[in-house]
């Protein structure tokens, strides 16, 4: 499954059916995937969804709010990719490797959505991220925590308050490696793209070997992932 979602015209529902919010988000995902650019208008999305040009403003106050919803769906789709990749796997290490491959391939297949999700476009002046995005991102993080706490790093690490900073330290290393590899592949500084599975497996193996010897404990007050609202 790609990190984009497209609907045929027959699948789209008119506004009076009450699906406008998702119809507009799906239209944005479609345009983003096709154009690899966020330079589109709400009017264009309304046209694609088959509604009046004013209809999107009933659900989105501005374009940033719309893109926050798009990013939130992007995290949901990525979490779905990662979960699907682990369905037949019992070993926590194998599950983490499968999630790493799903993460990298998702970003390489739709760079514009990936940059929207993990870039600074949606970060506000207070360094906060939209709530809809934070919630979806933490569902994805939970999948990684489950594999790591279950023994992917060579031993079990109970997912409790005592180990929270250790698990966040391990996730920081994992995320840094996978995020960096994804962007290097997207920007063609590493390649070819067809080798991304082998590359992600190699990077992950080296990372896990290091984490087996030492897991960095992040300092108090440091967060990993979009900070949850107080």
């Amino acid at each position: 499954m790609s990190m984009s979602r497209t609907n045929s015209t027959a699948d789209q529902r008119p506004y009076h059916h009450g699906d406008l919010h998702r119809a507009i988000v799906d239209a944005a995902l479609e345009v983003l995937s096709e154009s690899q650019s966020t330079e589109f208008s709400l009017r264009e999305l309304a046209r694609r969804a088959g509604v009046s040009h004013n209809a999107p403003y009933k659900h989105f106050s501005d374009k940033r709010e719309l893109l926050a919803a798009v990013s939130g769906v992007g995290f949901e789709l990525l979490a779905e990719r990662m979960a699907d990749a682990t369905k037949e796997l019992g070993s926590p290490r194998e599950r983490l490797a499968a999630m790493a491959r799903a993460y990298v391939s998702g970003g390489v297949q739709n760079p514009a959505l990936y940059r929207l999700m993990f870039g600074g476009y949606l970060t506000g002046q207070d360094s906060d991220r939209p709530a809809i995005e934070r919630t979806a991102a933490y569902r994805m993080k939970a999948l990684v925590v489950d594999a790591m706490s279950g023994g992917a790093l060579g031993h079990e690490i109970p997912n409790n308050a005592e180990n929270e900073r250790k698990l966040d330290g391990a996730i920081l290393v994992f995320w840094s490696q996978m995020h960096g590899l994804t962007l290097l592949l997207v920007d063609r500084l590493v390649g070819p793209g067809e080798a991304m599975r082998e590359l992600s497996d190699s990077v992950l193996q080296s990372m896990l070997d290091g984490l087996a010897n030492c897991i960095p404990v992040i300092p108090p007050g440091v967060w990993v992932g979009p900070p949850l609202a107080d």
Side-chain angles (χ1 to χ4, degrees), residues 123-211:
T123 303
Q125 293 182 348
D126 56 358
S127 298
D128 201 5
R129 301 283 293 199
I132 187 174
E133 182 193 67
R134 292 198 307 266
T135 301
Y138 268 85
R139 284 197 289 269
M140 186 188 75
K141 179 181 176 181
L143 295 170
V144 179
V145 169
D146 181 67
M148 287 185 169
S149 65
L153 306 183
H155 60 280
E156 293 186 5
I157 306 173
N159 183 14
N160 54 34
E162 181 180 350
N163 291 319
E164 182 178 4
R165 287 195 289 137
K166 177 182 286 189
L167 283 169
D168 272 351
I171 289 172
L172 177 60
V173 174
F174 172 84
W175 191 14
S176 297
Q177 295 284 340
M178 295 303 112
H179 180 66
L181 177 59
T182 300
L183 290 180
L184 288 171
L185 285 165
V186 166
D187 293 331
R188 300 185 63 79
L189 297 173
V190 170
E194 293 78 10
M196 63 183 170
R197 179 188 176 97
E198 292 79 6
L199 286 167
S200 64
D201 285 350
S202 177
V203 169
L204 181 70
Q205 182 62 52
S206 297
M207 178 196 70
L208 292 179
D209 288 346
L211 288 175

Side-chain angles (χ1 to χ4, degrees), residues 9 19 48-49 73 76 105 109 117 151 210 212 220:
T9 302
D19 293 353
R48 285 215 178 204
V73 172
E76 291 174 358
S105 65
Q109 288 174 16
M117 292 161 59

Side-chain angles (χ1 to χ4, degrees), residues 98-116:
M99 284 189 279
R101 290 192 292 267
Y103 180 100
V104 174
S105 65
V108 171
Q109 288 174 16
N110 196 339
L113 179 57
Y114 184 84
R115 292 188 193 278
L116 176 65

Side-chain angles (χ1 to χ4, degrees), residues 27-105:
L29 283 165
E30 185 178 296
V31 173
L32 194 62
S33 179
E34 291 174 1
S35 68
Q36 288 299 300
S37 171
T38 58
E39 297 302 315
F40 52 78
S41 66
L42 291 182
R43 181 183 290 267
E44 178 183 358
L45 300 184
R47 178 183 57 78
R48 285 215 178 204
V51 297
S52 72
H53 66 271
N54 289 323
Y57 293 98
K58 297 179 182 293
H59 290 273
F60 305 103
S61 60
D62 55 26
K63 187 175 177 180
R64 183 178 184 274
E65 186 174 331
L66 165 66
L67 289 177
V70 171
S71 179
V73 172
F75 277 107
E76 291 174 358
L77 293 174
L78 182 53
E80 186 178 317
R81 284 178 65 101
M82 292 167 68
D84 286 347
T86 66
K87 278 184 177 178
E88 306 300 324
L89 302 175
S91 162
R93 194 178 183 104
E94 289 179 346
R95 295 204 312 270
L96 189 64
M99 284 189 279
R101 290 192 292 267
Y103 180 100
V104 174
S105 65

